[in-house]
Amino acid sequence: MCQYQAEFKRLNAEVLVIAFGALPLAQAWLEETCSPFRLLLDPERTVYQTYELERSLLRSWNLKTVRRYVQLMRDGRQWRGIQGDSTQLGGDFIVDADGILRLVYRSRDATDRPPVEQLLAGLRQLTGKDET
Amino acid sequence: MLKLGDIAPDFTLPTANGQPVSLSETLRDGHNVLLVFLRHLG
């Protein structure tokens, strides 16, 4: 998401990345993905539960997940093992300035994440700003 | 279940440096907020 930093800023969006794993793993993720955003730690996953993000062994670990890990390592990511609850699925939410949920996306499996363009489109709709 | 149009539940979590960050304070600055919850794949 690094290359989109300027666009998030233009759209008046603050990005908060929430992680449940150990700090070194989360920091490594930020560095490897070149993510310039604030990282918040939720090791007990209380906020994950508040936002009703699911846990699933079958949807976290399957052939699709293994293929994705292989691809990530081919792309230069290092294997650092799994810490925390590896069955925890993630999600993405857009909250407008009034505190209202404007996008709710819960991962169907561990590889599932909305395209950045979908997130930007949601923010553009809120701000009324066109694509640059 | 939380859905579009609902009020986003407030929370406070620490950064890696231990500094608390809350959703409500972030919104108070007039920002829209994107919450990205990582899974083990990142």
Side-chain angles (χ1 to χ4, degrees):
Chain A
M1 296 207 323
C2 185
Q3 65 269 35
Y4 300 101
Q5 183 182 9
E7 183 65 357
F8 280 115
K9 190 173 181 181
R10 188 180 77 88
L11 296 171
N12 192 33
E14 180 83 18
V15 181
L16 300 177
V17 179
I18 300 164
F20 64 86
L23 177 58
L25 285 182
Q27 281 181 326
W29 180 85
L30 280 180
E31 288 165 12
E32 288 176 0
T33 58
C34 188
S35 179
F37 308 116
R38 279 201 285 182
L39 173 66
L40 307 182
L41 302 176
D42 185 18
E44 304 301 323
R45 291 178 288 121
T46 53
V47 182
Y48 279 77
Q49 289 161 22
T50 300
Y51 278 74
E52 299 169 309
L53 295 168
E54 296 177 280
R55 296 169 63 236
S56 168
L57 179 61
L58 286 179
R59 287 186 284 138
S60 292
W61 291 105
N62 50 40
L63 189 55
K64 202 171 161 187
T65 308
V66 173
R67 283 185 181 144
R68 181 73 181 131
Y69 264 117
V70 169
Q71 185 61 51
L72 287 171
M73 284 188 277
R74 280 185 183 153
D75 292 343
R77 291 268 295 271
Q78 290 179 16
W79 174 259
R80 290 185 170 82
I82 304 294
Q83 295 189 21
D85 184 350
S86 68
T87 67
Q88 178 67 58
L89 296 170
D92 299 80
F93 298 81
I94 290 176
V95 185
D96 72 15
D98 294 322
I100 306 297
L101 287 167
R102 296 301 181 189
L103 179 138
V104 173
Y105 191 105
R106 295 182 174 89
S107 300
R108 292 181 292 272
D109 61 52
T111 66
D112 180 33
R113 174 183 290 284
V116 177
E117 194 48 52
Q118 181 181 342
L119 302 174
L120 290 172
L123 291 166
R124 287 188 193 109
Q125 200 169 12
L126 287 180
T127 60
K129 292 182 179 175
D130 293 331
E131 194 173 344
T132 53
Chain B
M1 186 174 256
L2 280 175
K3 59 188 185 306
L4 284 179
D6 287 349
I7 295 174
D10 192 21
F11 61 84
T12 302
L13 288 173
T15 65
N17 298 326
Q19 178 195 357
V21 172
S22 74
L23 176 62
S24 54
E25 283 182 17
T26 307
L27 291 169
R28 208 168 293 144
D29 295 333
H31 294 296
N32 301 306
V33 176
L34 170 62
L35 302 174
V36 179
F37 290 82
L38 297 184
R39 53 293 267 164
H40 61 83
L41 269 165

